[in-house]
Amino acid sequence: MAFGQVVIGPPGSGKTTYCNGMSQFLSLIGRKVAVINLDPANDALPYDCAVNIEDLIKLSDVMNEHSLGPNGGLVYCMDYLEKNIDWLQSKLEPLLKGHVWSSYSVESVDSVADHYLLFDFPGQVELFFLHSNAKNVIMKLIKKLNLRLTAVHLVDAHLCSDPGKYVSALLLTLSTMLHLELPHINVLSKIDLIESYGKLAFNLDFYTDVQDLSYLQHQLDQDPRAAKYRKLTKELCDVVQDFSLDKESVGNLVKLIDRTNGYIFAGMESSAVEFSKIAVRPVDWDYYRYPYWASGLSVGKLQFYCLLTGDT
């Protein structure tokens, strides 16, 4: 059994930077980490990737050979990857061997730890709520390799400065959550830059906790383009609030991800009651041995966690 994160989000939201920073953080706290680049358009990687999709297919080759644009080319690449899933499986299998101690166990025991996997996916949002290729790739890997994965959805925090864009981001996030059917964590990236786009209409907790969205209605009514869609906007906000979307430093984000993908239970042999107790109690592991990573803002339902640009 191996654990990891599926890192997704719109272009420019900071996925590759996140993977780079998260891999460094996880290495500092003693985990073996492998970053898997599945974005064929990402040709400037700041990290050493264990697996690179460009060894299988290149976006530039697809665009030239099939006269496709970048969006069509990415859909083609994901379809090609799905049909050649055995290639990816063969690349990942050598990473999924090994034993380390379990940090969360009541007693220190050996458990199959393998490498902790970070999947860096393309930023084309259609891949994650319209097309099924990316989802099929993830589900096949989960089944074939016994993976426990959590989706980490990054959204650029500057969208909070525009009510219309914020509602659109909520809809995108919710659609992706429902489509992927994975444990899901939403992250507002570049939170330290948010004020540079203008003062927020409400405090940050309003946006991270996705509180009563009816308060946004007045803000939207100030925009003549949005005013005529008032009824539609209200209905969309009601849909978002029927579901539940947290802000912390990288360490607290890792804690939450470890709970959602089951990493905290690795190597444990306990009853369901004991598992439940462990899942709700504070994790007694000092993530903050390295204060450099602890700089962040503290979150809170559809909810977002917040990361500074320096955190990733």
Side-chain angles (χ1 to χ4, degrees):
M1 181 185 299
F3 301 86
Q5 304 175 28
V6 174
V7 183
I8 58 177
S13 57
K15 296 180 297 300
T16 296
T17 305
Y18 172 90
C19 287
N20 185 36
M22 182 59 73
S23 65
Q24 294 178 42
F25 175 78
L26 293 173
S27 296
L28 284 173
I29 62 175
R31 297 190 197 178
K32 293 188 297 181
V33 184
V35 185
I36 295 89
N37 176 44
L38 296 182
D39 183 359
N42 195 349
D43 55 2
L45 298 173
Y47 52 74
D48 294 327
C49 55
V51 182
N52 193 342
I53 192 175
E54 285 207 334
D55 295 336
L56 174 69
I57 189 169
K58 294 185 177 182
L59 178 61
S60 56
D61 293 343
V62 170
M63 293 171 62
N64 292 332
E65 183 176 345
H66 299 282
S67 300
L68 294 171
N71 287 349
L74 282 170
V75 173
Y76 183 97
C77 289
M78 280 296 110
D79 182 60
Y80 190 83
L81 178 62
E82 181 188 357
K83 292 177 180 176
N84 291 272
I85 194 68
D86 291 340
W87 171 86
L88 183 55
Q89 180 181 348
S90 67
K91 294 289 186 180
L92 292 175
E93 283 174 343
L95 302 173
L96 307 183
K97 299 174 182 177
H99 294 76
V100 298
W101 58 279
S102 173
S103 312
Y104 295 100
S105 302
V106 176
E107 300 177 358
S108 292
V109 296
D110 285 341
S111 62
V112 177
D114 316 305
H115 280 74
Y116 190 94
L117 306 178
L118 297 174
F119 292 91
D120 189 358
F121 270 87
Q124 187 186 10
V125 296
E126 297 94 321
L127 294 172
F128 302 100
F129 73 93
L130 287 179
H131 300 286
S132 60
N133 305 116
K135 177 184 177 180
N136 292 342
V137 167
I138 295 168
M139 293 305 168
K140 287 179 180 179
L141 291 177
I142 289 174
K143 183 177 180 180
K144 290 174 177 285
L145 300 176
N146 193 23
L147 302 182
R148 298 292 182 269
L149 302 176
T150 291
V152 178
H153 192 157
L154 272 63
V155 175
D156 198 317
H158 90 269
L159 297 178
C160 296
S161 62
D162 184 309
K165 292 179 180 178
Y166 176 66
V167 173
S168 297
L170 293 180
L171 289 173
L172 171 62
T173 304
L174 180 57
S175 298
T176 304
M177 288 171 62
L178 297 176
H179 182 72
L180 287 183
E181 299 180 308
L182 287 173
H184 202 102
I185 306 295
N186 301 293
V187 177
L188 286 175
S189 60
K190 311 175 190 175
I191 196 67
D192 53 325
L193 302 179
I194 192 169
E195 293 289 351
S196 64
Y197 296 95
K199 186 175 177 60
L200 296 179
F202 306 98
N203 61 33
L204 188 58
D205 287 346
F206 175 87
Y207 300 95
T208 57
D209 294 352
V210 190
Q211 296 172 2
D212 189 349
L213 297 181
S214 64
Y215 289 109
L216 284 178
Q217 198 67 60
H218 174 71
Q219 300 295 323
L220 287 166
D221 288 346
Q222 307 306 307
D223 184 345
R225 296 170 300 176
K228 62 180 179 179
Y229 300 114
R230 193 176 194 282
K231 185 176 180 180
L232 174 61
T233 302
K234 181 181 182 303
E235 295 299 323
L236 292 176
C237 289
D238 288 344
V239 169
V240 171
Q241 290 191 168
D242 284 342
F243 290 83
S244 263
L245 291 178
D246 274 277
K247 60 189 185 250
E248 292 285 348
S249 65
V250 178
N252 283 341
L253 179 60
V254 172
K255 289 181 183 180
L256 184 62
I257 293 170
D258 287 347
R259 282 196 174 97
T260 59
N261 63 22
Y263 186 90
I264 62 173
F265 304 117
M268 296 185 62
E269 295 181 4
S270 301
S271 66
V273 174
E274 288 302 313
F275 281 150
S276 299
K277 290 179 179 178
I278 293 167
V280 299
R281 76 183 182 192
V283 178
D284 112 1
W285 182 23
D286 185 11
Y287 280 89
Y288 299 104
R289 291 175 302 186
Y290 303 95
Y292 170 80
W293 292 98
S295 62
L297 297 170
S298 84
V299 193
K301 325 183 255 197
L302 204 32
Q303 284 177 314
F304 287 98
Y305 273 87
C306 298
L307 290 181
L308 303 171
T309 49
D311 286 334
T312 51

